[in-house]
Amino acid sequence: MQKPSIPKGTRDFTPEEMANRNYIFNTIKSVFQLYGFQQIETPAMENLSTLMGKYGEEGDKLLFKILNSGDFISGTTDEELLERNSTKLTGKFAEKGLRYDLTVPFARFVVQNRDKISFPFKRYQIQPVWRADRPQKGRYREFYQCDVDVVGSDSLLNELELIQIVDEVYRRLKINVCIKINNRKILSGIAEIIGEAEKITDITVAIDKMDKIGLEKVNEEIASKGITQSAIDKLQPILKLSGSNAEKLFQLKTVLSGSETGLKGVAELETIFNLCESVGISTKIELDLTLARGLNYYTGAIFEVKALDVEIGSITGGGRYDNLTGVFGMEGVSGVGISFGADRIYDVLNQLNLYPETSAEQTQILFVSFGEKELMYCLPWLKSLRNSGINAEIYPEPSKMKKQMGYADNKNIPFVAIVGETEMKEGKVMLKNMKTGEQKLMSLDEIMTGVKN
RNA sequence: GUGGUUAUAGCUCAGUUGGUUAGAGCGUCGGAUUGUGGUUCCGAAGGUCGCGGGUUCGAGCCCCGUUUUCCACCCCA
C-alpha cells in the first residue's frame, strides 16, 4: 500500500475551504470588473527563456523547471555531464518552467497578442503560481495571485484606480488594512544624492527591512555592501523622516533638490495623494520611504498592503513598471498593476473568521426516500426546483432514514423532503426544516416559497 | 540555500529510566431506534509507531542517514 501524500508547500482544499476561497475570488473578481478590467489566462508552464532572468538571480533559483519529455539526456555530451554544472545542464534538460508570477507571462501575452488588444489594456488574471521556496508561515510553493494591470497608459489615474480597488476589496472583505506607498524614483533620487546611484538595489533591499530589523541593522547591511560611511551618514536624515505624508513630501523636496529623478517621484506621489483626496479613500494611505519591494522592474509608484489585525507579510503589492514589455521587443509601453495574495488573504480571513454565514454554493434541499418508486416520484420535483434555481439533490439510494438524515446534517442542508407511501398518495412531500425540526406536508409551490425563505 | 523543529489509528494527540498484547477523544461502521438528523447509551473495525540502517537480551523511546511538518534567516504573496 502506498501512503498518500502531496508535495511540500502544496495543499488540498475541502469543499468548505473552497466555498471560503471562492468567496475571496468572487469578491476580488467583481471589484475588478467594476473598474472595467477583463480576465485572461495564460498557461501554467512557460518557456524557460521567457521566465529566466526576469526575477533576479534569486528568482531563477526559485523557478520550477519541467524536465523535457522523452530522452532528455540525449542532447547532452559526456563532457557536459561530467562537468556536473547544474545551471548549464538545466538549460539542456528543461526548456519549460512553471510560472513564477502573473506579470511576466502577462507582458509576454501583451507583446504576442498586441494585434488583438486595444490600449490602454486593462486585464485581470487569477491563477496559481509556483515557487521552489522553502515553505513557512504564509508561504506556499503553490499559491494564487489575483493580478490587475493596466498597460499602455502613463496616467496616474491608473494608480488612483488601483488604490480604489484595494480600498473597495478590503472594505467588502471586512479586513482592516493600511496601504503603504512609495516611489522608485524617490529611492533612485536618494541613491543619487548620497553618491551611490549604482548601488540602488542593495540600498533598497536593505531599507526594505527597516520595520523588521531596525535602523541599526539596516545601516550595518548597507555598510556590508560596500557603501561609504559618508553616504550612510547622508542617508540617515532621510530614513528618519517623519510627520504626515504632506510633511514628508515637503521635506523630501529639499533633500532631493539636486536630483531630477527624485523630484519627479515626489511630484508623482503628490499627484496621487491629491487624486485620492478628491475621490475619498477610506483606507489609510501612508508614505513609507522604507518600502522598496524586491522585484527590480518597478520604476514609479510602489504599493504594499498590510493587514492591521493579523501578523502576516504583505497581502497585496504592486507598482509601476515602465518597460516590462521591452525584453520581448515592444518598447515604450508603461504599465502599472497590483497583485492580491489570495492565499494570505485566506489565512487572514481564517484567523479573524470573517466569512459570511451562508454560502450560495450550498444545497438547499435534500430528497430522502424509501425505495425505487419514491426515487422516481422525486425526479420531476427535483427538476422543477433546479429549474427555478434552487440547489437540490436526492439521496441516490434507498438507505436507512438515519443515514440519509445524517447526510443532510453533515452537509448542513437546511431542508429535507421526505417521500413515502403517504406523501405519494397525497401528491405532496413532507418538508422538514432541519434547524427548527418542524415538518409539514407540502405541494411543489409551497416548497418553492418555503425553501426560499 | 542556511539553522532549528516535528513525525504514533482517517483526524487531534497520550505513551514513565529502553521492558509483556501501543492507548484516548473525535470520525467511520453496526446496534439500542425497520418513517426522522444534530443529544444519549452499547459494540466493532482501524497501527510496518514516516522510511532505511545501527546500538541493545529487548527500541515508539537512544544513535546515524533520509524524507516530511512547522518555524526563523535569505527572499517573497
Side-chain angles (χ1 to χ4, degrees):
Chain A
M1 193 208 48
Q2 190 191 355
K3 257 207 173 163
S5 66
I6 52 175
K8 68 157 85 165
T10 65
R11 296 158 296 166
D12 285 327
F13 298 110
T14 63
E16 293 73 31
E17 290 167 332
M18 277 314 294
N20 289 341
R21 289 174 68 79
N22 282 335
Y23 162 67
I24 298 170
F25 290 132
N26 292 336
T27 304
I28 290 174
K29 210 165 165 173
S30 55
V31 176
F32 288 172
Q33 285 168 351
L34 215 50
Y35 284 80
F37 288 84
Q38 294 175 298
Q39 186 168 25
I40 68 160
E41 285 202 356
T42 61
M45 57 183 125
E46 291 276 347
N47 290 326
L48 221 38
S49 56
T50 303
L51 303 173
M52 293 290 277
K54 307 299 191 299
Y55 310 104
E57 211 176 304
E58 201 68 35
D60 284 353
K61 278 192 233 157
L62 298 180
L63 284 170
F64 275 109
K65 287 108 187 164
I66 298 171
L67 204 55
N68 291 340
S69 38
D71 184 4
F72 58 86
I73 218 163
S74 63
T76 321
T77 63
D78 290 355
E79 290 76 47
E80 284 169 326
L81 283 174
L82 282 171
E83 225 184 294
R84 306 182 76 87
N85 181 329
S86 54
T87 328
K88 229 158 128 191
L89 284 177
T90 11
K92 300 254 177 188
F93 289 172
E95 50 193 25
K96 299 177 291 296
L98 292 175
R99 73 166 101 76
Y100 179 89
D101 72 355
L102 300 178
T103 310
V104 169
F106 172 54
R108 192 223 81 226
F109 175 96
V110 168
V111 177
Q112 211 176 321
N113 295 280
R114 58 183 152 203
D115 58 318
K116 301 184 196 75
I117 56 188
S118 54
F119 295 95
F121 180 46
K122 302 170 79 170
R123 86 86 170 76
Y124 75 90
Q125 188 170 354
I126 299 178
Q127 289 190 275
V129 303
W130 295 269
R131 296 185 188 177
D133 235 343
R134 268 241 196 128
Q136 54 176 276
K137 191 181 210 136
R139 182 192 287 184
Y140 308 98
R141 286 186 143 185
E142 177 185 66
F143 60 97
Y144 272 76
Q145 288 193 329
C146 312
D147 273 29
V148 247
D149 290 80
V150 188
V151 290
S153 165
D154 293 329
S155 168
L156 294 174
L157 225 49
N158 298 307
E159 273 83 344
L160 169 69
E161 289 210 330
L162 292 177
I163 292 172
Q164 286 181 288
I165 285 173
V166 169
D167 188 47
E168 179 64 14
V169 164
Y170 289 112
R171 190 186 66 77
R172 291 190 184 190
L173 292 176
K174 300 184 173 60
I175 300 177
N176 291 321
V177 296
C178 163
I179 301 176
K180 299 201 166 179
I181 186 167
N182 194 6
N183 195 300
R184 264 295 164 87
K185 294 193 179 78
I186 293 181
L187 293 170
S188 301
I190 292 172
E192 212 175 289
I193 293 293
I194 66 170
E196 296 280 2
E198 66 290 348
K199 292 268 169 67
I200 170 83
T201 312
D202 288 335
I203 297 173
T204 53
V205 166
I207 65 177
D208 193 41
K209 294 172 192 160
M210 183 65 84
D211 58 340
K212 208 170 182 181
I213 62 177
L215 181 60
E216 219 164 288
K217 290 262 167 91
V218 169
N219 284 332
E220 274 173 37
E221 182 164 333
I222 295 176
S224 76
K225 298 289 180 187
I227 285 149
T228 64
Q229 190 58 45
S230 74
I232 295 175
D233 291 340
K234 274 190 224 164
L235 193 60
Q236 298 314 301
I238 301 166
L239 294 181
K240 286 176 188 155
L241 269 192
S242 62
S244 69
N245 294 335
E247 284 162 2
K248 284 182 193 163
L249 284 176
F250 182 78
Q251 295 169 67
L252 274 175
K253 271 189 217 168
T254 11
V255 177
L256 293 173
S257 57
S259 163
E260 200 184 317
T261 318
L263 287 177
K264 191 147 182 268
V266 174
E268 283 180 12
L269 278 189
E270 242 170 3
T271 311
I272 293 172
F273 282 130
N274 287 337
L275 286 169
C276 288
E277 188 93 2
S278 66
V279 297
I281 304 286
S282 45
T283 306
K284 188 180 167 224
I285 306 173
E286 189 193 335
L287 168 56
D288 182 356
L289 288 170
T290 69
L291 169 63
R293 295 190 61 74
L295 295 175
N296 46 24
Y297 48 64
Y298 292 119
T299 53
I302 42 186
F303 315 98
E304 199 157 280
V305 178
K306 290 235 152 140
L308 295 177
D309 304 323
V310 173
E311 197 57 50
I312 198 162
S314 79
I315 53 178
T316 292
R320 177 167 291 273
Y321 38 88
D322 277 338
N323 196 21
L324 194 69
T325 52
V327 278
F328 299 115
M330 192 172 164
E331 299 287 340
V333 181
S334 176
V336 59
I338 51 171
S339 175
F340 288 80
D343 295 272
R344 284 192 179 171
I345 294 173
Y346 174 68
D347 288 346
V348 170
L349 251 37
N350 276 340
Q351 281 185 47
L352 302 176
N353 202 11
L354 286 176
Y355 293 106
E357 273 181 35
T358 48
S359 160
E361 298 172 14
Q362 207 177 15
T363 299
Q364 291 300 299
I365 177 165
L366 172 79
F367 279 77
V368 157
S369 62
F370 299 100
E372 294 298 327
K373 264 186 297 174
E374 286 87 349
L375 281 172
M376 295 312 288
Y377 174 86
C378 292
L379 294 182
W381 289 69
L382 277 165
K383 189 175 178 187
S384 306
L385 286 167
R386 287 167 178 162
N387 280 346
S388 58
I390 294 168
N391 300 349
E393 60 178 306
I394 183 165
Y395 199 89
E397 39 204 312
S399 312
K400 282 186 181 156
M401 269 267 104
K402 185 182 167 81
K403 179 144 187 170
Q404 301 192 54
M405 297 298 285
Y407 175 81
D409 197 46
N410 277 332
K411 274 186 89 171
N412 249 318
I413 299 172
F415 293 98
V416 168
I418 301 162
V419 178
E421 293 278 344
T422 342
E423 286 79 10
M424 289 200 291
K425 230 179 278 166
E426 298 255 350
K428 297 190 171 180
V429 301
M430 182 67 78
L431 186 74
K432 172 161 181 156
N433 181 325
M434 292 296 276
K435 272 205 190 88
T436 63
E438 293 170 73
Q439 56 184 54
K440 200 174 158 192
L441 264 185
M442 284 192 178
S443 68
L444 183 61
D445 287 343
E446 288 168 323
I447 285 188
M448 297 258 195
T449 52
V451 169
K452 272 181 183 159
N453 298 330

